[in-house]
Amino acid sequence: MTIRVAVVDDEELIRVGLRIILDAQPDLEAVGEAADGADVPAMVARTRPDVVLMDVRMPAIDGIQATRQLLATSALPPRVLMITTFDNDDYVYDALRAGASGFLLKRARPAEVAEAVRVVARGESLLFPAAIRRLVETHGSSGGPAGDRLRAARLTEREAEVLRLMSTGLSNAEIAASLFLGVETVRTHVRNVLTKLGARDRTQAVIAAYESGFISPGG
């Protein structure tokens, strides 16, 4: 199955480079591009990508606004993978909260770009635990709604344990090995955690866990 990818960046050189990387892979296809967030809805409706590589900073409508609008207005929105220059970019944190499934550094190697697209297309999240911890430390734990949501979720002890391991960036297989469980059992626990938290994906669940204080950036 070919993964359809759209590229959104205000720098033409970046767009061209990403298209070359994508089209060089047998299972990836660049199907559209846009130079600003304002052009994203029409481009996505026209090309129907599975994944959108979205620049964070753009002149008219930035990647955060574009992501929020895309996820709110599309019945079956594509996965969004943010691309940024710095892994401590404050905008990245806002983009993840807006619904992006992860972020990718512009200095990433071609193989890393391709694999990141595959990970996100599978419905998984591209987590960089150390970077997310730094972002949460900068913004602080807000408690409030995030804390209320976690308390209301009433996670079981096992689900809470799975959420903690998710926050370290472990895959389902790695969590299963750590807890001596089957991969399908872990997958069920992950689904339950996402459902109870009302999270779109693992990234949203992990951010909620940090913001609520359930997981501390230092621990």
Side-chain angles (χ1 to χ4, degrees), residues 3 28 51 53 81-82 101 103-105 108-122 124-126 128:
I3 300 170
L28 306 180
V51 177
L53 285 173
L81 183 57
M82 307 305 296
S101 294
F103 68 94
L104 184 66
L105 299 180
R109 297 189 298 271
E112 293 173 328
V113 173
E115 184 56 24
V117 170
R118 295 184 186 106
V119 168
V120 170
R122 289 197 298 265
E124 299 175 20
S125 298
L126 197 66
F128 294 88

Side-chain angles (χ1 to χ4, degrees), residues 52-81:
V52 175
L53 285 173
M54 182 89 74
D55 189 17
V56 173
R57 305 187 184 204
M58 292 179 285
I61 293 182
D62 63 28
I64 302 164
Q65 293 175 280
T67 297
R68 190 176 291 116
Q69 181 181 16
L70 183 61
L71 298 182
T73 58
S74 302
L76 292 172
R79 296 280 174 173
V80 176
L81 183 57

Side-chain angles (χ1 to χ4, degrees), residues 46-193:
R46 184 177 66 254
T47 61
R48 298 186 180 282
D50 301 302
V51 177
V52 175
L53 285 173
M54 182 89 74
D55 189 17
V56 173
R57 305 187 184 204
M58 292 179 285
I61 293 182
D62 63 28
I64 302 164
Q65 293 175 280
T67 297
R68 190 176 291 116
Q69 181 181 16
L70 183 61
L71 298 182
T73 58
S74 302
L76 292 172
R79 296 280 174 173
V80 176
L81 183 57
M82 307 305 296
I83 48 176
T84 181
T85 305
F86 306 107
D87 63 359
N88 63 348
D89 192 338
D90 284 348
Y91 284 81
V92 168
Y93 187 74
D94 293 331
L96 295 175
R97 293 187 70 194
S101 294
F103 68 94
L104 184 66
L105 299 180
K106 289 187 178 181
R107 64 174 180 267
R109 297 189 298 271
E112 293 173 328
V113 173
E115 184 56 24
V117 170
R118 295 184 186 106
V119 168
V120 170
R122 289 197 298 265
E124 299 175 20
S125 298
L126 197 66
L127 288 171
F128 294 88
I132 289 181
R133 280 197 297 272
R134 285 198 301 273
L135 290 168
V136 174
E137 284 172 345
T138 300
H139 289 260
S141 297
S142 61
D148 293 342
R149 185 161 36 133
L150 265 172
R151 284 188 291 274
R154 298 183 182 279
L155 299 181
T156 66
E157 184 176 344
R158 181 65 83 187
E159 289 165 354
E161 198 170 14
V162 167
L163 178 55
R164 288 191 182 93
L165 292 175
M166 283 166 56
S167 75
T168 68
L170 295 185
S171 67
N172 287 348
E174 291 166 333
I175 293 173
S178 177
L179 299 179
F180 303 102
L181 298 173
V183 175
E184 281 302 320
T185 299
V186 170
R187 190 171 289 122
T188 298
H189 286 315
V190 171
R191 277 199 303 267
N192 290 343
V193 169

